[in-house]
Amino acid sequence: MHGHSEILVRKLAKRVHRHEVGTLNSVDEIINDCCKSLQITVPTIVYCESLAKNFSAFYLDDDPYIIFDSCLIEALSLYDRIVLSGNNEEDLTKFFYKLIGEELIRNGELRRCLYMTGKYRQLSFSFDDESGAEYTDSTVTPLLSLQTYFILGHELGHLSVAPRYRTIDDRCDQNNQDEQDKQREQLEATGAYTGKATASASKGVPTAYRDFIDECMNVIREHSGLLDSLGYYLDEDPSTFKYAIAFDESFFYRNFVEECYCDFQGLKLLLEHYEKPEDSVRGISLAMSYLILQEAVRSDMTDNKFFFGDKTHYASRCVYFAVLRMQVMFVTLQVNKFENPFRSFLNTWSSLWPKLVEKIPSEEAFEAAPFFSIPINEERLRSLLMAAFYYRSVR
Amino acid sequence: MIEIELIVKGETPELFSLPREEVTVVTEKNFNGDLTTIELYISEGLNILFLIVSLIKSYIKQKKVSSLVLDKDKIELHNVSEETIMKVLDAWAQRNSRKKVSKKGS
């Protein structure tokens, strides 16, 4: 067994830090509250402000931890302001440059990031001038609070269903006996096989919830028009639901169900906590929209599809699943009674993202730029770039 | 402590049966839940190191691994041939086992 603090230090080091963050009492309270409702052990909370921009819950041995990254709250607060002030194209473009630029810093592509920093600085957010004063902290702070509740609830939901350490017999593909036997033999040879002596810690997602998701998928399939606006981003016609059908009973589908279940936990905790369901739905929709945006940018850049420049790239599966998750949530809430802010997100995004990406110079053009061969102090440049994208610390 | 990070699509149950006193396994799912980041923190035990490498190789053959981080160097598997990555893994395991042997000897 390893020292948890050493592992945590290593985990945090990978996240590309911006500032040190102390304990945040409001977050402690939310987490305690959620854990009480979920009847799980309160995890150790690790605070940070990093370009990973996510919350992450996990077990180290049997001890639960959650990383609270206040850069996610900063980005969410910016996104909320952009949407509340009317989805101004310049605001969104500037925001995209921040997302892309910070991702380049994370990937160590600092020289390439210089272009994004420059573009980011040339634009201004409309809500930062006097005319945007109505979208001040007093408007955004309550929204951020409920979004934090939802995302933390989702992450803690993962802790509540985490299998942790189960036996090889529990976990192996039951249909692949040969592989199971082979792996067991290998482990036995080293004395590593722990057999049935290792306890399973969780029963996972309840069967009744799995049945519910199956029903939701049927409802969504019957209303395939729900996904029509996504044509550009998908490599398959969404109306065929090829993915969903292919993934039924698969590993991916099981993971999808777990994500939906955790969304449901976040939703449930939020609705128990706040009295205005309309505000909650709007907050969740905005939070999910932002997370989809972040993941789509990240996924495109990870897959080296960033410089696509034409329309031949195929869509991130991330977008497809995220949209399905949102639809499941709306079916759960029977949300047709409420305004669906998610649809306007899809419309705005699907028109703006391709336009923006087409303007970004090609990979070859970047590499031909003279500064690519000049030696630089990478540490200093990283700090400068991170500072350039800094908006404000939101806690 | 040796650290390996894998990003996988699919199940990797064998990693969770490794002895906990020698290997700490931390998993995190991405936003969609279709990719899992698995961090392995390995302390002592050369057999375990080679066993882990052989498990990773089998996952690569099964096309379950999308990227791998060894000694902070990230390798995107779609950019590298299977043969090359196997050689890289073997060399990495040998290098780390030599380090451990020399530590024990000193």
Side-chain angles (χ1 to χ4, degrees):
Chain A
M1 195 180 293
H2 298 94
H4 291 184
S5 51
E6 186 182 349
I7 293 176
L8 285 171
V9 166
R10 282 173 178 248
K11 282 183 78 63
L12 290 174
K14 286 190 272 188
R15 295 176 72 93
V16 189
H17 272 89
R18 203 169 66 177
H19 294 294
E20 293 295 320
V21 183
T23 303
L24 306 170
N25 291 335
S26 56
V27 175
D28 282 5
E29 280 169 25
I30 293 175
I31 289 176
N32 283 327
D33 201 12
C34 289
C35 289
K36 203 172 158 190
S37 301
L38 290 169
Q39 297 182 310
I40 59 171
T41 312
V42 178
T44 303
I45 309 164
V46 181
Y47 292 95
C48 70
E49 189 167 309
S50 81
L51 299 192
K53 296 199 282 268
N54 61 17
F55 298 166
S56 169
F58 53 91
Y59 283 96
L60 282 181
D61 301 313
D62 285 333
D63 300 332
Y65 289 85
I66 187 161
I67 295 178
F68 179 91
D69 188 339
S70 63
C71 270
L72 172 60
I73 305 298
E74 180 208 43
L76 254 177
S77 102
L78 264 173
Y79 185 72
D80 289 344
R81 284 177 162 82
I82 289 168
V83 175
L84 291 173
S85 58
N87 276 320
N88 176 311
E89 186 167 329
E90 186 169 313
D91 289 345
L92 273 164
T93 305
K94 184 174 167 78
F95 189 57
F96 273 130
Y97 282 124
K98 176 180 166 71
L99 293 184
I100 297 167
E102 289 184 337
E103 206 50 28
L104 287 171
I105 299 172
R106 275 185 82 216
N107 295 344
E109 297 186 66
L110 303 181
R111 294 166 197 253
R112 197 166 283 165
C113 180
L114 282 165
Y115 175 87
M116 307 302 160
T117 325
K119 296 296 279 185
Y120 177 81
R121 285 197 152 174
Q122 280 173 343
L123 302 169
S124 10
F125 288 123
S126 62
F127 43 83
D128 278 344
D129 61 26
E130 283 178 17
S131 63
E134 63 181 296
Y135 306 108
T136 56
D137 285 350
S138 61
T139 318
V140 173
T141 304
L143 198 57
L144 274 176
S145 166
L146 64 89
Q147 289 169 329
T148 306
Y149 217 102
F150 169 70
I151 302 173
L152 284 172
H154 173 100
E155 287 303 322
L156 294 167
H158 280 300
L159 287 183
S160 74
V161 295
R164 289 194 269 175
Y165 291 89
R166 290 199 222 164
T167 67
I168 192 169
D169 300 312
D170 289 336
R171 289 175 152 268
C172 256
D173 178 359
Q174 296 300 316
N175 298 322
N176 194 345
Q177 189 63 42
D178 288 346
E179 187 197 343
Q180 197 173 331
D181 291 340
K182 199 173 141 195
Q183 299 294 353
R184 191 184 296 113
E185 275 168 27
Q186 269 190 309
L187 291 168
E188 278 170 343
T190 63
Y193 178 57
T194 49
K196 289 188 184 296
T198 318
S200 171
S202 160
K203 289 176 184 162
V205 176
T207 313
Y209 189 78
R210 285 177 192 278
D211 296 343
F212 171 72
I213 292 295
D214 289 343
E215 283 308 309
C216 281
M217 295 304 283
N218 288 335
V219 171
I220 293 169
R221 281 183 190 124
E222 282 164 18
H223 298 83
S224 58
L226 289 170
L227 295 176
D228 281 350
S229 56
L230 278 171
Y232 174 75
Y233 289 95
L234 297 173
D235 53 347
E236 293 291 338
D237 175 359
S239 63
T240 64
F241 284 93
K242 184 183 169 186
Y243 284 137
I245 293 162
F247 287 157
D248 274 359
E249 301 306 318
S250 71
F251 171 78
F252 295 110
Y253 188 67
R254 288 204 298 280
N255 277 341
F256 173 72
V257 172
E258 181 176 325
E259 291 302 320
C260 291
Y261 180 72
C262 294
D263 286 343
F264 176 62
Q265 295 305 320
L267 177 72
K268 207 162 58 126
L269 292 167
L270 181 60
L271 292 179
E272 281 165 8
H273 188 75
Y274 284 91
E275 287 172 356
K276 295 179 182 169
E278 289 90 344
D279 288 354
S280 298
V281 171
R282 184 174 178 76
I284 291 171
S285 179
L286 287 173
M288 289 288 278
S289 300
Y290 168 71
L291 291 170
I292 294 169
L293 203 69
Q294 176 174 292
E295 274 307 302
V297 171
R298 198 163 275 181
S299 156
D300 263 7
M301 292 175 74
T302 306
D303 290 351
N304 245 347
K305 289 187 292 192
F306 179 55
F307 297 97
F308 47 86
D310 58 31
K311 300 200 173 182
T312 59
H313 91 297
Y314 42 96
S316 314
R317 267 214 320 264
C318 136
V319 177
Y320 183 81
F321 277 108
V323 172
L324 273 185
R325 266 171 69 182
M326 284 300 291
Q327 298 299 355
V328 166
M329 202 184 295
F330 288 144
V331 172
T332 310
L333 284 164
Q334 295 183 309
V335 84
N336 49 340
K337 291 178 194 160
F338 302 115
E339 177 204 0
N340 182 344
F342 191 61
R343 189 173 291 281
S344 71
F345 157 73
L346 289 176
N347 292 336
T348 312
W349 180 38
S350 59
S351 64
L352 188 61
W353 176 242
K355 266 202 304 193
L356 178 82
V357 171
E358 278 175 357
K359 280 187 206 158
I360 293 173
S362 69
E363 190 164 14
E364 293 75 28
F366 267 113
E367 283 173 2
F371 60 79
F372 259 76
S373 54
I374 300 169
I376 50 164
N377 178 336
E378 293 225 344
E379 207 48 52
R380 173 87 181 120
L381 180 57
R382 184 177 295 108
S383 306
L384 285 171
L385 293 170
M386 284 169 79
F389 288 121
Y390 177 79
Y391 184 69
R392 67 170 73 161
S393 288
V394 184
R395 289 163 195 182
Chain B
M1 190 191 297
I2 300 169
E3 182 185 339
I4 310 175
E5 184 182 303
L6 304 162
I7 297 181
V8 299
K9 11 177 196 187
E11 288 181 291
T12 55
E14 301 78 13
L15 295 177
F16 294 85
S17 286
L18 297 169
R20 293 166 63 177
E21 59 278 10
E22 292 184 47
V23 186
T24 300
V25 184
V26 185
T27 59
E28 286 178 46
K29 286 197 174 122
N30 72 342
F31 175 68
N32 311 311
D34 62 340
L35 294 176
T36 308
T37 302
I38 302 178
E39 295 163 341
L40 299 165
Y41 298 93
I42 309 154
S43 52
E44 300 298 328
L46 297 180
N47 285 339
I48 282 297
L49 185 62
F50 285 106
L51 174 64
I52 289 171
V53 166
S54 79
L55 286 173
I56 294 173
K57 282 179 174 180
S58 76
Y59 298 146
I60 290 171
K61 282 185 183 153
Q62 293 166 52
K63 311 283 180 211
K64 283 182 179 175
V65 184
S66 72
S67 74
L68 183 64
V69 182
L70 300 172
D71 298 332
K72 295 182 183 170
D73 290 327
K74 189 169 186 179
I75 304 164
E76 296 291 347
L77 266 70
H78 62 261
N79 292 331
V80 187
S81 74
E82 205 172 285
E83 194 188 350
T84 308
I85 192 71
M86 298 298 168
K87 281 183 189 165
V88 169
L89 271 166
D90 284 335
W92 177 84
Q94 291 290 348
R95 201 165 54 244
N96 277 290
S97 67
R98 274 200 298 273
K99 270 188 215 165
K100 282 192 177 289
V101 170
S102 64
K103 262 189 195 173
K104 278 183 184 171
S106 59

